[in-house]
Amino acid sequence: AAAAALPAVVNITTMVQHHTIFGTQLGTSAGSGFIVRDDGLIVTNHHVVSRGNNMFVTLNDGRKFPARYVAGDPGSDVAIIRIEKAKKKFTSGKNWIIVFAQGW
């Protein structure tokens, strides 16, 4: 089952600006997500993408694509992003069931 899901798992990197007493500093934020539709729609954690600019998605095969924030909920730490300018279909997870739980 893990091998079948692997092509849908992605790495997400965003450029983040930190404002400190020393001025503005640039850094990166990184996390993972998974493609839920073959048009490049991805579910990830909100904290990974909420403060970032210049978001990029790296697929399991090493290809890298720009992405944009679509929607999110900070309370449940879930966000939706989309690969920009997708000209092809992406490998998505099949028959995903997403469960959000609180208080665990």
Side-chain angles (χ1 to χ4, degrees), residues 67-79:
R68 68 177 173 81
Y69 181 86
V70 175
D73 178 42
S76 59
D77 196 27
V78 175

Side-chain angles (χ1 to χ4, degrees), residues 11-87:
N11 180 273
I12 301 160
T13 306
T14 59
M15 301 303 292
V16 180
Q17 290 185 357
H18 299 282
H19 301 285
T20 69
I21 60 172
F22 303 108
T24 302
Q25 299 177 346
L26 295 177
T28 58
S29 175
S32 61
F34 55 94
I35 301 172
V36 294
R37 285 199 332 216
D38 63 2
D39 63 352
L41 201 67
I42 297 168
V43 173
T44 187
N45 293 105
H46 190 268
H47 72 269
V48 171
V49 297
S50 64
R51 298 183 310 144
N53 298 320
N54 299 325
M55 192 178 318
F56 292 94
V57 171
T58 305
L59 304 182
N60 187 289
D61 63 9
R63 290 179 294 155
K64 190 174 184 178
F65 297 92
R68 68 177 173 81
Y69 181 86
V70 175
D73 178 42
S76 59
D77 196 27
V78 175
I80 305 293
I81 64 173
R82 181 184 304 277
I83 295 174
E84 293 263 324
K85 301 174 184 164
K87 291 184 169 62

Side-chain angles (χ1 to χ4, degrees), residues 1-9 91-94 96:
L6 192 58
V9 177
T91 302
S92 63
K94 303 295 183 210
W96 286 104

